């Protein structure tokens, strides 16, 4: 067999390896999704959708499974983390991509990436030892929604910064040059040309950041207080959907265990909704342009 | 050629994974229903469960001189019992008595020590003791300010454990904090922790917090309150005057047999019980 045939064989083999890899990835996602829904969704109907989704008490021993306080906690905490992490992350990305001298940018960028490498439990512990006592000085027990929002806001920074920075850098310089040619200042160009042009990448970074925030269990369990109640202030102790699963999955059995899977299904749906919302936002803007 | 290298690398990786997968026979679990020893002898045991029993189990594992490797995982009594039931661990560790349902499933408890539950407050808190009635009222939300029990004018921050905790289960049973399967502490507590260690951390960092902790884990960083004027010490538990105490159980599916029995025999031997006493737990052989 000559070298050309050999080349074609290896090229075909390589293609099949890549196909196999992607099939495996999609299969893994499908398997998890199907298992989750198959195991958890029936529980929602067994408990009753209204009792489950709108119930305010979670007492497994008495067969009461209401997750409204936890849905609200997860949503509020993710919103709070987004309010902290998105602006901070985007502006840092702008700094790294547009404003900072290259030597400073090359120093700051790896530091932010290092933040991504810190394990969640360490972030949570930092929150418990440093942040929670300060919040306690203001109001409440310290373990609160606010603590979770701040810690999560910090934890999603690396995701938002690195993906937004890549998106900003990908904006063709011709856009910026055209803007300068029309007399716009540097800062004005950044906000009126570069950022809108990088919108889809920036929104992707937001979606990933929000997904990380709503799915975080370890760090939140250490600082949020974990009381099952509908919060009336950010200083209240709350329990998220993720923490509830983590606390009880280890020993739950029967309907209790299926109810926890149902909780995970709701979490899954929330994450999908966030992604849809952010992608609709991205597409809407593109249409106008 | 590059793609050929890629293919051979991939094949090599696939081969390695397959071989690694075939090597899973080492840690087969004990045959639970008949209680008979396995055909293949075990070289290691997995203990899983209570974060109260865990530290003692680790100490016993360290000093064990038999041929077995003992691994200890601390995930909470409830989880340990569940793992024992489904066979994913060899011995479950529980810090409360088994319920009737759990015993009906074939679980057999072996008491290896007795431990007190200390009611702990921050070391700076001026309160040094409470009556059991006051404790029940604090943990059910009836008393909410330290001034009502002789302390500073400050709101009491109640710290509790996750629902599957053995320490919590024993504590609530001993102090009448449970009603029809619903814990009265759920409403009153502000913070819920996943382990004894986390409870201690929260008490240490909050001057007005109160919580409960395995007596063996109490140290100078927190204060254990007197209950009904009785100090929380192992002597008082033995004498029966300090009421808040519970057994440390090694739980097995069926009677202990084979390697599991070997380790449990060691723990119940004079040597094992010496270690128990050395950590301020109460031995069960006297």
């Amino acid at each position: 067999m000559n070298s050309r045939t050999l080349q074609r064989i290896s090229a075909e083999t390589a293609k099949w390896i890549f196909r196999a890899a992607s099939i495996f990835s999609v299969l893994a996602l499908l398997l998890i999704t199907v298992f989750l829904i198959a195991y958890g969704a029936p529980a929602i109907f067994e408990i009753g959708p209204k009792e489950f989704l709108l119930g305010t008490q979670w007492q497994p021993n008495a067969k009461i499974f209401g997750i409204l306080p936890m849905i609200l906690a997860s949503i509020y905490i993710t919103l709070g983390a987004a309010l902290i992490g998105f602006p901070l992350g985007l502006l840092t990305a702008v700094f790294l991509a547009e404003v900072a001298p290259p030597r400073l940018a090359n120093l700051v960028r790896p530091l932010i990436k290092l933040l991504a490498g810190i394990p969640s439990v360490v972030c949570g512990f930092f929150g418990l030892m440093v942040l929670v006592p300060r919040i306690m000085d203001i109001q409440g027990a310290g373990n609160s929604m606010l603590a979770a929002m701040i810690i999560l806001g910090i934890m999603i920074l690396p995701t938002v910064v690195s993906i937004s920075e890549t998106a900003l850098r990908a904006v063709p310089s011709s856009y910026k040059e055209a803007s300068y040619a029309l007399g716009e200042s540097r800062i004005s160009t950044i906000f009126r040309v570069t950022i809108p042009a990088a919108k889809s990448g920036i929104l992707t970074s937001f979606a990933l950041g929000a997904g990380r925030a709503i799915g975080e269990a370890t760090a939140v369990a250490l600082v949020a207080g974990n009381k099952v109640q509908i919060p009336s202030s950010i200083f209240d102790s709350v329990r998220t959907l993720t923490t509830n699963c983590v606390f009880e999955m280890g020993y739950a059995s029967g309907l209790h265990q299926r109810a926890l899977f149902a909780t995970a299904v709701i979490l899954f749906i929330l994450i999908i909704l966030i992604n849809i919302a952010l992608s609709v936002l991205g597409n809407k803007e593109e249409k106008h342009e | 050629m590059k793609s050929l290298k890629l293919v051979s690398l991939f094949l090599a990786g696939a081969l390695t994974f397959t071989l690694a997968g075939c090597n899973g026979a080492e840690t087969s679990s004990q045959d639970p229903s008949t209680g008979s020893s396995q055909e293949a002898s075990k070289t290691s045991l997995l203990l899983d469960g209570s974060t109260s029993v865990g530290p003692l189990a680790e100490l016993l594992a360290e000093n064990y001189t038999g041929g077995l490797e003992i691994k200890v995982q601390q995930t909470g009594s409830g989880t340990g019992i569940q793992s024992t039931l489904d066979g994913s661990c060899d011995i479950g560790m529980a810090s409360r008595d088994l319920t009737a349902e759990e015993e009906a499933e074939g679980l057999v408890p072996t008491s290896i020590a007795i431990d007190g539950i200390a009611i702990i407050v921050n070391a700076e808190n001026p309160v040094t003791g409470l009556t059991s009635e006051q404790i029940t009222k604090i943990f059910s939300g009836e008393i909410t300010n330290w001034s009502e029990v002789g302390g500073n004018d400050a709101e009491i921050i109640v710290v509790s454990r996750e629902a599957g905790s053995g320490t919590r289960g024993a504590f609530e049973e001993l102090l009448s904090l449970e009603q029809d399967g619903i814990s009265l502490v759920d409403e009153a507590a502000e913070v819920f922790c996943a382990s004894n260690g986390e409870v201690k951390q929260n008490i240490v960092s909050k001057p007005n917090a109160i919580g409960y902790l395995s007596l063996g884990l109490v140290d100078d960083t927190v204060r254990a309150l007197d209950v009904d004027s009785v100090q929380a010490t192992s002597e008082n538990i033995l004498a029966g005057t300090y009421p808040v105490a519970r057994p440390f159980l090694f739980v097995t599916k069926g009677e202990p047999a084979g390697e599991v029995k070997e380790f449990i025999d060691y723990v119940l031997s004079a040597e094992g019980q010496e270690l128990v006493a050395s950590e301020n737990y109460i031995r069960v052989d006297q």
Side-chain angles (χ1 to χ4, degrees), chain B residues 10 56 60 67 80 116-117 141 146 219 222 235 249 263:
Chain B
F10 177 76
L56 179 60
L60 291 162
I117 300 179
W146 279 114
D219 57 22
V222 294
E235 292 83 31
L249 302 176
F263 182 60

Side-chain angles (χ1 to χ4, degrees), chain B residues 190-224:
Chain B
E190 197 58 22
V191 182
F192 292 84
C193 304
S195 70
N196 276 305
E198 220 182 296
V199 172
K200 205 170 18 166
Q201 277 305 336
N202 275 285
I203 304 293
V204 164
S205 57
K206 302 190 209 318
N208 297 314
I210 187 172
Y212 47 85
L213 189 76
S214 162
L215 184 57
L217 294 172
V218 172
D219 57 22
D220 301 324
T221 57
V222 294
R223 172 179 312 129

Side-chain angles (χ1 to χ4, degrees), chain A residues 59 129 143 225-227 237 251, chain B residues 78 163 186-187 189-190 192 206:
Chain A
Q59 294 287 354
M129 300 308 290
N143 298 51
N226 310 318
K227 180 167 179 174
S237 160
Y251 70 92
Chain B
D186 267 340
E187 266 311 300
E190 197 58 22
F192 292 84
K206 302 190 209 318

Side-chain angles (χ1 to χ4, degrees), chain A residues 111-134:
Chain A
L111 287 178
I112 295 180
K113 292 224 171 101
L114 197 66
L115 195 61
I118 300 178
S120 321
V121 68
V122 174
C123 292
F125 199 63
F126 167 80
L128 183 62
M129 300 308 290
V130 174
L131 192 60
V132 164
R134 306 286 167 279

Side-chain angles (χ1 to χ4, degrees), chain A residues 108-123 154-162 212 216:
Chain A
V108 174
R109 200 176 297 115
L111 287 178
I112 295 180
K113 292 224 171 101
L114 197 66
L115 195 61
I118 300 178
S120 321
V121 68
V122 174
C123 292
I154 296 174
M155 284 170 75
I156 67 174
L157 277 178
T159 310
V160 177
V161 169
S162 58
R212 170 96 202 266
E216 179 58 47

